[in-house]
Amino acid sequence: MKPYFFLLLSLTVGLNTWAQESIPESRYEKKSVMIPMRDGIKLHTVIFLPKESQEPLPFLLSRTPYGVADAAFPERSQPELAREGFIFVKQDIRGRYLSEGKFEMLRMTRDPIVPNSIDESTDTYDTIDWLLKNIANNNGKAGIFGVSYDGWTSMMALIDPHPALKAVSEQATPADWFINDDMHHNGAFRLSYGFDYAFMEEAGKTDTLFPFDTYDNYEWYLRLGPLSNVNAKYFKNTIPTWNNFVNHPNYDAFWKKQSLLHRFENRPLTVPTQHVAGWYDQEDFAGPLFMYELLEKKDRNKLNYIVIGPWNHGGWSRGEGSSLGNLQFGVPTAKNYRENLQLTWFNYHLKGKGDGQFAEATIFQTGANKWKNYNSWTPKQAVQQALYFHPNGKLSFEKPVPSTTNLFDAFISDPANPVPYRSRPIEQTYGPGSRWRTWMTEDQRFVHHRPDVLSWETNVLENDVTISGKVLAQLYASTSASDADWIVKLIDVHPDMVKENRQMSGYQQMVAADVLRGRFRKGFETPLPVKPNEVNAYTVDLLQADHVFKKGHKIMVQVQSTWFPLIDRNPQKFVPNIFLAKESDYVKAEHRVYRSGGYASRVDVMVVK
């Protein structure tokens, strides 16, 4: 949930007091107001009004915890939408920056029977209601959109939508902080992000970076030792979200109540909603996929749509989008989205322009580097096939023959020497020089020959292989200890020599990757120790891909048990709560991945012929 930093202006504002400013080149007038909510709290709101408009215009609302006082004029922040003409409204959510009230991370949904109870949905409702009554020359319609936390507030507007809310574009919303997205992936804690983000949002009313005294965060987190040292040495129990991590190590009622999956489980979709995701989103890739899939089950009126492009977190909202890291796409994908998908979406639903014929799923197919329109996501024509692990590091669509020898590949996993998730030094997530935004595009050769990373790869492909849809790793594995993490990466290996772009020669491009904490192999509610040396089945959800492995490339799978400090170190000795583990709980272990007979480990992909 990437924050956007702003310098605060010293403003004294009230309900009827407007602070005006303008820039010579802008067609918009910027005004600030405090909008009252039903419980009397006032929220700081910046409104950009077109100076000249011949027609009533709709509102485009964004609600954020990242500060709006210094928000850029629309020509700079949303030039494609600004040229068309909307009334832009940006708001500090409750308890952040210049808004009154108390901030609560991912505020829980209110109990509607409690008088004047509030949540982000009621704050959105009250804001729209005030705008309709107090801003002249509006057409009675509103849309809401935003990236990350702002995408989450966009989804929360749907809990109890105002009748004037006619269009939503949630972009990279988190859906469930334990199952996936920012803070956990399949029960494994995302240490470097969770630590940084919790401090940044809750150490003060404005964004505050943690003062690391070591540039390489890999080294800092390793020296930190067990997670129990965080409160003991640094946070001192003052960061509510960190305390929630410590107090809720399993998928309990707290996480379920916070999850959008549970909030929307029994709610019909009544407002047209566009879900936007990026294949290389380092923070919230799963949220839009999960919410699209959940709402699609009950979409009877064609209100639910999805867009996925080759972007990192929020990459569609800025720049051209013709490249990311070392990857080149050949077309301005972000600009395409803003002009042809986002603008068209709001023009139709808020202004009645266009024919409203939106593709169910608009997906950028990586590898082939082209946009695809699908009638369903995932495509019905895709057929599941398995990529099996074989001896000698071979990977194949052919199932291995039964054998009584050479049944597994093994490695030693040492929590004292974890595998880094990107090349070192690992800069602070949002600190100076950070490469956080592009790490998912990084060449995986930097860990390829580590003894604690297993690899299997196909022969050179004689034909293109296209996968579209879900990617699931089915591992059969054992450990000499009583717990283990399992990280699986599906990789596109480029040819040994790429003459037209030599830096891509032999490049190991990550297509999909994720982790499963072994204690949660049978469910996230109840952790279970692993019996030492017993073979267990582990299903690692790698989410989705739409990718063409081109002729002349190879397909690779890597398996490892540490991914540091993206994921905290599993002690590998089972303890009830890893956040309270002691240094002595961290032990070396031998892990085995089986690949024969009834224990044929594989990665299941959806292949399109």
Side-chain angles (χ1 to χ4, degrees):
M1 300 175 69
K2 182 176 181 180
Y4 299 89
F5 298 106
F6 301 103
L7 297 174
L8 290 180
L9 300 178
S10 298
L11 297 174
T12 304
V13 290
L15 178 59
N16 297 310
T17 302
W18 297 84
Q20 301 187 28
E21 70 177 277
S22 62
I23 56 175
E25 68 273 16
S26 179
R27 297 169 43 227
Y28 289 83
E29 177 184 13
K30 181 179 180 181
K31 299 182 177 182
S32 297
V33 66
M34 297 295 282
I35 298 181
M37 301 294 104
R38 63 190 63 186
D39 63 346
I41 291 295
K42 297 175 182 178
L43 302 187
H44 173 244
T45 308
V46 172
I47 303 172
F48 292 95
L49 292 162
K51 295 174 182 176
E52 297 181 7
S53 177
Q54 303 302 316
E55 60 177 350
L57 294 175
F59 297 102
L60 269 182
L61 175 63
S62 297
R63 306 187 64 251
T64 184
Y66 303 128
V68 302
D70 202 29
F73 279 76
E75 290 95 338
R76 296 174 183 172
S77 59
Q78 284 110 17
E80 294 83 7
L81 294 171
R83 285 193 291 271
E84 172 62 28
F86 294 89
I87 302 171
F88 293 90
V89 181
K90 300 177 185 297
Q91 185 175 75
D92 291 330
I93 64 172
R94 185 177 292 251
R96 291 291 287 168
Y97 285 83
L98 298 181
S99 282
E100 299 173 353
K102 182 180 179 181
F103 174 66
E104 179 184 314
M105 189 86 79
L106 299 190
R107 184 180 296 276
M108 299 297 188
T109 306
R110 73 186 180 115
D111 183 348
I113 68 172
V114 177
N116 285 332
S117 59
I118 60 91
D119 57 18
E120 298 298 349
S121 181
T122 64
D123 283 354
T124 309
Y125 190 107
D126 294 349
T127 297
I128 293 174
D129 207 57
W130 187 94
L131 292 168
L132 292 170
K133 296 172 182 176
N134 291 274
I135 302 300
N137 204 31
N138 74 76
N139 73 353
K141 296 180 179 181
I144 188 169
F145 73 124
V147 176
S148 196
Y149 206 117
D150 306 6
W152 180 83
T153 58
S154 298
M155 284 302 301
M156 287 300 295
L158 292 169
I159 293 288
D160 183 17
H162 193 285
L165 184 64
K166 301 300 182 183
V168 173
S169 179
E170 69 84 358
Q171 303 171 9
T173 182
D176 191 304
W177 267 7
F178 197 88
I179 304 302
N180 221 294
D181 293 320
D182 303 274
M183 303 305 179
H184 298 79
H185 275 213
N186 299 314
F189 179 57
R190 299 233 303 173
L191 172 59
S192 57
Y193 187 85
F195 178 97
D196 269 21
Y197 190 80
F199 182 86
M200 184 170 57
E201 293 305 292
E202 295 178 337
K205 197 176 180 183
T206 62
D207 290 333
T208 307
L209 287 177
F210 183 81
F212 287 103
D213 59 7
T214 303
Y215 184 70
D216 186 353
N217 271 198
Y218 180 98
E219 194 67 37
W220 191 91
Y221 283 111
L222 204 56
R223 291 175 183 169
L224 170 69
L227 298 185
S228 55
N229 286 335
V230 171
N231 267 330
K233 293 183 177 181
Y234 300 107
F235 288 178
K236 308 296 184 182
N237 297 302
T238 63
I239 305 299
T241 292
W242 186 268
N243 294 339
N244 288 333
F245 297 151
V246 176
N247 295 329
H248 303 280
N250 309 316
Y251 196 50
D252 59 12
F254 168 82
W255 294 113
K256 292 176 183 178
K257 186 179 179 183
Q258 189 187 74
S259 170
L260 284 183
L261 299 177
H262 289 267
R263 299 191 208 215
F264 280 88
E265 191 171 25
N266 298 309
R267 292 183 184 275
L269 182 63
T270 59
V271 180
T273 300
Q274 180 190 75
H275 307 272
V276 182
W279 291 123
Y280 307 104
D281 190 329
Q282 72 278 16
E283 295 169 29
D284 297 298
F285 176 51
L289 309 184
F290 288 177
M291 295 314 300
Y292 169 78
E293 188 173 301
L294 176 69
L295 296 174
E296 186 64 14
K297 295 175 182 177
K298 58 191 77 176
D299 183 23
R300 301 291 178 265
N301 299 309
K302 291 288 289 180
L303 301 177
N304 195 48
Y305 299 84
I306 190 166
V307 178
I308 310 176
W311 306 305
N312 60 5
H313 192 60
W316 51 88
S317 64
R318 56 184 179 266
E320 295 287 312
S322 57
S323 65
L324 184 65
N326 291 322
L327 305 184
Q328 302 292 324
F329 308 124
V331 291
T333 63
K335 193 169 184 289
N336 289 163
Y337 166 73
R338 296 193 302 271
E339 290 182 345
N340 301 324
L341 295 168
Q342 179 173 261
L343 177 58
T344 303
W345 179 258
F346 285 124
N347 261 345
Y348 177 74
H349 291 294
L350 301 184
K351 290 189 170 186
K353 294 183 177 181
D355 58 15
Q357 298 301 307
F358 303 104
E360 177 71 19
T362 306
I363 313 294
F364 190 84
Q365 189 175 73
T366 55
N369 290 338
K370 61 183 179 182
W371 286 104
K372 303 271 289 186
N373 290 335
Y374 295 102
N375 294 326
S376 66
W377 183 253
T378 58
K380 290 185 171 62
Q381 64 269 34
V383 177
Q384 182 174 293
Q385 293 189 28
L387 282 161
Y388 290 99
F389 305 172
H390 288 263
N392 303 313
K394 295 297 182 182
L395 185 70
S396 172
F397 284 109
E398 295 181 4
K399 191 172 184 178
V401 296
S403 173
T404 57
T405 60
N406 198 14
L407 302 177
F408 58 81
D409 293 302
F411 63 97
I412 301 297
S413 177
D414 183 1
N417 184 29
V419 180
Y421 78 96
R422 54 180 161 126
S423 60
R424 295 177 62 185
I426 295 176
E427 310 84 8
Q428 183 176 8
T429 304
Y430 298 117
S434 178
R435 294 167 293 145
W436 168 250
R437 293 179 61 248
T438 58
W439 80 264
M440 294 187 69
T441 70
E442 191 161 343
D443 189 341
Q444 296 302 300
R445 280 180 292 191
F446 79 100
V447 297
H448 182 208
H449 290 300
R450 275 186 62 126
D452 48 1
V453 177
L454 299 178
S455 298
W456 300 265
E457 65 180 348
T458 64
N459 294 327
V460 174
L461 298 176
E462 297 180 356
N463 298 287
D464 290 356
V465 175
T466 301
I467 62 170
S468 296
K470 296 183 183 297
V471 182
L472 285 174
Q474 306 285 353
L475 298 185
Y476 294 95
S478 68
T479 175
S480 62
S482 52
D483 199 4
D485 288 349
W486 299 101
I487 294 107
V488 182
K489 297 182 284 190
L490 179 65
I491 293 168
D492 184 342
V493 182
H494 291 235
D496 291 340
M497 177 59 74
V498 181
K499 292 182 179 179
E500 62 274 18
N501 187 2
R502 288 177 182 263
Q503 71 173 351
M504 296 303 293
S505 298
Y507 204 91
Q508 293 182 6
Q509 177 186 343
M510 196 161 64
V511 174
D514 226 312
V515 56
L516 172 68
R517 182 138 285 174
R519 63 179 51 214
F520 296 119
R521 65 196 179 280
K522 294 187 178 180
F524 297 112
E525 290 88 354
T526 305
L528 298 171
V530 179
K531 184 177 180 180
N533 302 314
E534 178 180 83
V535 181
N536 282 274
Y538 299 92
T539 300
V540 187
D541 187 354
L542 308 189
L543 298 176
Q544 300 175 11
D546 194 359
H547 184 80
V548 178
F549 297 89
K550 303 291 287 184
K551 176 182 176 180
H553 291 223
K554 291 183 287 187
I555 305 174
M556 175 184 283
V557 173
Q558 290 181 354
V559 173
Q560 58 200 62
S561 284
T562 49
W563 218 13
F564 190 74
L566 178 71
I567 301 300
D568 70 311
R569 297 175 303 146
N570 190 323
Q572 302 191 139
K573 173 186 175 183
F574 182 87
V575 294
N577 185 343
I578 291 177
F579 287 93
L580 301 178
K582 303 185 297 294
E583 187 68 50
S584 59
D585 294 324
Y586 290 78
V587 298
K588 287 184 182 180
E590 182 188 65
H591 299 333
R592 296 179 175 182
V593 177
Y594 288 75
R595 45 169 171 66
S596 181
Y599 295 147
S601 296
R602 66 190 189 271
V603 174
D604 292 330
V605 293
M606 304 301 294
V607 176
V608 178
K609 297 294 187 180

